[in-house]
Amino acid sequence: MEMNPREELKKLREKKRLELHERKGNENIIEILIGMGSSGIASGAKNVLQALNETLEERGISNAIIRKTGSLGLDHAEPTLEIRMNGMPDIIYGKVTPDVTRRIVDRHILGRELVCGHVFDKPAQDVVKEPKHAL
Amino acid sequence: MPYKKFCLVCSGKQCESGKSEEIYKELKKLTMESSICQNVQIVRTGCFGLCSKGPIVKILPDETFYVNVDVKDAKAIINDHIIAGQPVERLMLKHDNPAKESRFYQKQIRIALRNCGIINPEDITEYIARDGYAALSMALFEMKPMDIIEELKKSGLRGRGGAGFPTWMKWKFTHDIKDQADEIFIICNADEGDPGAYMDRSILEGDPQSVLEAMALAGYACGSSMGYIYIRAEYPLAIERLYKAMDQAREYGLLGKNILGSGFDFDIEIRLGAGAFVCGEETALIASIEGERGMPRPRPPFPAVKGLWGKPTVINNVETYANIPKIILRGGDWFGQIGTEKSKGTKVFALTGKINNSGLVEVPMGTTLREIIYDIGGGIPNGKAFKAAQTGGPSGGVITAEHLDTPIDYETLGALGSMMGSGGMIVMDEDDCIVDVTKFYLDFSVDESCGKCAPCRIGTRKMHNILRKITMGKGTMDHIQQLRALAVPMQKASLCGLGQAAPNPILSTLKYFEDEYLAHIRDHRCPAGVCKALVTYTINPDICIGCTVCSRKCPNNCITGERKKPHVIDQDNCIKCGICHEGCKFGAVQIA
Ligand SMILES: Cc1cc2nc3c(=O)[nH]c(=O)nc-3n(C[C@H](O)[C@H](O)[C@H](O)COP(=O)(O)O)c2cc1C
Ligand code: SF4
Ligand code: SF4
Ligand code: FES
């Protein structure tokens, strides 16, 4: 019997939500969000993305997931990178250049320390912690 | 060994002038001296946005937020908080309402922007993971079209495209006549022509699926199976992501025939606009989709009754749509709790101009301008004074310092002679000339007037001419009278909002900054030093050290003087290019 499409959508949502949630709980996964809206791209996000890919490869980091997103609203600090990994607070880096990207990989991801001068705060807590509600 | 705690010290401009650098050094010194240096890292960060309470220090991971920190507080932070684990109460940000404490200074609520910067806009499953299409699925199986409109009514959502018309009413008009029409259309207005506004583009680039879902909801509620997104061709990234989003939605059975097996069909096409401001006006937009020249026509009949190809048409703005799935999912009452009495929910503002943290902010209606500019926007750069904020683009006006504490919503902005518009907010400081800014908006209106009706076509040009004369020092007292006299017939007789609103920037600035107009007219002086014709550059002999930079740079060779002696400008030959002013490292070239 074919499954009802509505059920399928629900299943997909649960599965995908768990995936996104588990990433952080999972010891090994490093999530890197890069703002690739117009303002991000205009201020150099493409070069940052390239530097990120290269550095991760050079350092042999294979457990990082790069996710491209739209603008976070922090236009004055673009390009932005958000790093989410176990053992470190979620941090948004702003005014990131290819050079800073390499420092972020070496110092934040490998060295577990923050990169001075490029930490920017989130525009709103609600962005991350969404209030619970019934589906 | 990885660090266990992080001590973030703001090194934004404002905090830096409050000695944040010394605090940073002190914290660093204290940690180095103690055994904890391997456990805590002291970090310099960008501005937190609460500059008025700076210098600011934040401790991670516990997120303790310290304000008005002094160098001598460093010891307490290290000894009490970092070593003994006892946060320093007296430095923590106090809030009258403890419930709000958890959000600290964070005054934003993100509903329309809920997914922007969070999900990958090119992956529909990430949208679905964040409750995407849950509203559509619920609506199709558990709600009748009228139930949806009822939720919208409860929510109090009003159009975010400018006029603020209640969204549920538009949908209801169309819903009520759907049985008399053979076809009904849903349109998304993504033209976004307001100078300084880019929230619609950001939503389409960051979360295109939310708009598709909302349009499908509109289709179901109003009995339509076809939607159009009208977007300007200057937004290539948004267009590309929209196409990808539509392909994926079709693939997942969320767009097209028999959506989710419910029997409901709905599909969407994209129409590109050439980027004329007037094409954002709904009747002009409809003409443009029909392949005609984008010119407005008289209303009524309104598009809800007679729109695209003469059929009933619902037309809404991108941000309006982006709110809708969330409203359906969480209920209109939830949305209605946010905001003010008559303006519900949140509004996205594009904060630009003389502001530290430019960018998109989404705040509840009723947030004050002060909160937006100082708490979120981080204040005015370089310690300059706030002069005014321009809202509503060419249809709007200015809000001045005396209104910083007015809660912002559709009504209050209107009462101040400005407008919500689409949400562009351009911040001006003491270096901006009000007459010059107003001239810029009139210039825009002259260029963008479609020319169909005389009051707008001729009026905008006349007004612009007068403003040009004033900025050139050729203004007369009569000019102010003439500006006022032109405004009323334009507001009354123009066919569309462009001409009706074109005098708004003038009326608004005349109301609050008449003395600045008078300074230009009577004293031949531009107080902000912007209007070139009214400016004189002089060299202050007490400051000038005779470095000769200015005389070498002057394109007209009108600066003379011996090396190491004060220089002078020959006023008769000066072309007022300002190069000497920019070039002098000592600030000796002064503007008057
Ligand atoms: C000259 C002019 C330009 C306009 N430009 C836009 C625009 O770029 N985007 C938009 O959504 N609405 C624009 N509008 C408002 C639309 O006519 C219409 O009211 C709006 O799209 C309705 O959507 P809403 O109810 O969701 O706000 C413009 C109106 C005028 C008079
Ligand atoms: S008011 Fe201006 S833009 Fe509108 S129809 Fe008349 S001429 Fe065209
Ligand atoms: S304003 Fe330009 S032309 Fe006039 S003195 Fe300065 S550099 Fe020369
Ligand atoms: S400069 Fe420190 S909070 Fe803005």
Side-chain angles (χ1 to χ4, degrees), chain B residues 159-165 170 189 191-194 200 277-278 280-282 315-318 320 496-498:
Chain B
R160 301 295 192 243
F165 191 78
K170 270 191 197 175
N189 186 344
D191 190 58
E192 196 166 57
D194 266 40
D200 293 348
F277 179 59
V278 78
E281 197 281 336
E282 51 194 21
I315 173 161
N316 281 121
N317 163 266
V318 172
T320 314
C496 85
L498 195 156

Side-chain angles (χ1 to χ4, degrees), chain B residues 157-167 170-171 187-194 200 230 232 276-285 296 299 314-321 324 394-395 410 419 421-422 444 448 496-501:
Chain B
L157 176 69
R158 294 166 63 176
R160 301 295 192 243
F165 191 78
T167 306
K170 270 191 197 175
W171 290 26
I187 294 180
C188 171
N189 186 344
D191 190 58
E192 196 166 57
D194 266 40
D200 293 348
Y230 186 86
R232 50 178 53 212
F277 179 59
V278 78
C279 287
E281 197 281 336
E282 51 194 21
T283 59
L285 186 151
R299 301 171 308 169
V314 169
I315 173 161
N316 281 121
N317 163 266
V318 172
E319 189 188 330
T320 314
Y321 279 125
I324 291 174
S395 323
Y410 290 102
M419 224 181 123
S422 53
F444 183 84
E448 298 291 337
C496 85
L498 195 156
Q500 288 157 7

Side-chain angles (χ1 to χ4, degrees), chain B residues 186-243:
Chain B
I186 305 294
I187 294 180
C188 171
N189 186 344
D191 190 58
E192 196 166 57
D194 266 40
Y198 55 94
M199 53 282 294
D200 293 348
R201 186 192 72 200
S202 290
I203 291 172
L204 293 171
E205 283 175 2
D207 189 16
Q209 296 285 355
S210 66
V211 176
L212 305 186
E213 182 182 359
M215 290 178 71
L217 280 165
Y220 176 66
C222 304
S224 161
S225 58
M226 188 64 213
Y228 291 93
I229 299 176
Y230 186 86
I231 179 167
R232 50 178 53 212
E234 284 103 291
Y235 284 178
L237 187 63
I239 295 165
E240 183 194 319
R241 290 193 177 154
L242 269 174
Y243 274 119

Side-chain angles (χ1 to χ4, degrees), chain B residues 10 12-15 47-51 56 378:
Chain B
C10 175
K13 281 203 191 84
Q14 214 103 332
C15 286
C47 170
F48 284 101
L50 197 62
C51 315
I56 284 171

